[in-house]
Amino acid sequence: MERYVDVAPGVRLWAEDIAPHADATEDRTASAEPLLLVMGANASGVAWPDPLIARLAERHRVIRYDHRDTGRSTWAFDEHPYAISDLGGDAIAVLDAFGVERAHVVGMSMGGVLVQLLLLDHPDRLLSATVLCTTALGSGLAAGDPADAAPVLPDPDPALLALWQEMDRPRDRDAEIAWRVEHWRLLNGSGTPFDAEEFRALEERVVAHAGRHDNPAAHARAARTGLDRGAELAEVEVPTLVIEAPEDPINPPPHSGHLSRAIGGGRLVRVPGMGHALNSTVIEPVAAAILTQTAAAGTAAAPS
């Protein structure tokens, strides 16, 4: 079921509620716990691969949505500017719109940063959290002031930094998709095979969903205020899994290790060879890690 969610004056988000897999039993469908997917910067909800969603929907009611300035959500950063931290509140608004009191939440990249904000500000709304390809609040790209980041962790690959300088340049549709495929090639890294056609098909779907191919890079321009909260992570009690991608060119090790240690009760799982991309070779281990996490959290929360 698709719907639009108003999150601020003049700003609405596209969201989709995906019922549990058709093969699930009636009892499992009725009791399926919600799982919210929070995507990374400048990426819409349909960037989550369909095979991953299908695996998660074997046990969960899956909810995904388009951030502001992506997909079918409002594109109006210049008229309605915001900080990255504001996007955390958008996730809660999506849960409210679908009548979800508590959910498992999965965040990738910037989405993982937003999930950390949810852990701090809305722990009562989370059954569990899983973050991947991300960094801790107050560090790396999640530092409000990069000069104050602590500890000092590796920067993104210089080749990526150079490509990001071209992110918002005007291109026709074919050139834009070609640029995005090259972006995915760098994000994927060399630890697993890169299939250009797989990511071309993904971006064709993303563009068709949005109805436009331009990229205003709004999240790269959004303020980073409110992110220097890494010290608060030690108080987190919600079961939290950190998935480490050892070949991640944006947040390489030891970013994930630092985050898992910073979070109270955090747990670390490594997916060998994974970069900053959900290609077909890593979907199964990522799905298995998420489902193990949600099952354990559900068991822990169940009355004895």
Side-chain angles (χ1 to χ4, degrees):
M1 175 179 65
E2 300 179 27
R3 63 168 299 164
Y4 286 89
V5 180
D6 293 318
V7 296
V11 179
R12 56 175 35 189
L13 309 182
W14 173 89
E16 183 178 28
D17 185 356
I18 301 166
H21 197 280
D23 292 340
T25 65
E26 185 174 341
D27 288 344
R28 179 181 293 179
T29 298
S31 62
E33 293 173 328
L35 186 152
L36 178 69
L37 296 174
V38 186
M39 219 337 132
N42 305 302
S44 80
V46 298
W48 291 102
D50 288 342
L52 176 62
I53 289 178
R55 278 286 281 121
L56 299 178
E58 292 175 7
R59 298 190 199 170
H60 293 284
R61 169 191 176 191
V62 179
I63 299 171
R64 62 179 174 178
Y65 67 100
D66 293 340
H67 291 299
R68 306 183 196 194
D69 295 282
T70 74
R72 296 179 182 173
S73 294
T74 301
W75 294 47
F77 180 81
D78 291 334
E79 293 78 21
H80 302 284
Y82 49 84
I84 293 296
S85 57
D86 293 328
L87 301 180
D90 290 354
I92 295 300
V94 170
L95 293 181
D96 289 343
F98 286 111
V100 174
E101 181 177 353
R102 299 182 72 197
H104 301 282
V105 182
V106 178
M108 179 172 180
S109 194
M110 182 192 76
V113 173
L114 300 181
V115 169
Q116 292 173 62
L117 292 175
L118 298 183
L119 286 167
L120 298 180
D121 296 334
H122 303 279
D124 57 314
R125 305 297 299 272
L126 275 59
L127 293 167
S128 76
T130 299
V131 297
L132 58 151
C133 302
T134 195
T135 191
L137 290 169
S139 67
L141 296 179
D145 182 348
D148 296 333
V152 177
L153 296 170
D155 292 328
D157 187 309
L160 265 176
L161 293 175
L163 192 64
W164 287 348
Q165 297 301 311
E166 307 171 2
M167 185 179 296
D168 59 353
R169 292 183 184 174
R171 287 179 283 269
D172 64 28
R173 184 182 184 280
D174 290 345
E176 175 63 21
I177 290 178
W179 186 93
R180 295 186 190 186
V181 171
E182 174 62 12
H183 188 217
W184 281 119
R185 184 184 70 79
L186 293 179
L187 292 174
N188 187 83
S190 58
T192 59
F194 176 70
D195 183 347
E197 291 309 310
E198 175 185 351
F199 286 95
R200 185 179 304 279
L202 169 65
E203 289 301 339
E204 292 277 2
R205 186 167 70 251
V206 167
V207 168
H209 169 75
R212 56 192 293 176
H213 68 270
D214 55 319
N215 184 351
H219 300 157
R221 296 187 285 144
R224 297 185 187 182
T225 53
L227 299 182
D228 291 328
R229 301 178 64 187
E232 299 176 47
L233 294 173
E235 304 302 318
V236 168
E237 296 182 353
V238 175
T240 302
L241 172 67
V242 180
I243 298 178
E244 181 175 74
E247 303 300 322
D248 186 343
I250 298 180
N251 300 304
H255 278 267
S256 294
H258 167 64
L259 175 56
S260 67
R261 291 188 296 272
I263 293 177
R267 186 169 66 90
L268 183 70
V269 169
R270 170 178 283 211
V271 176
M274 183 176 173
H276 202 93
L278 292 169
N279 68 43
S280 59
T281 71
V282 303
I283 285 175
E284 181 52 37
V286 168
I290 294 170
L291 292 173
T292 297
Q293 173 71 358
T294 61
T299 301
S304 56

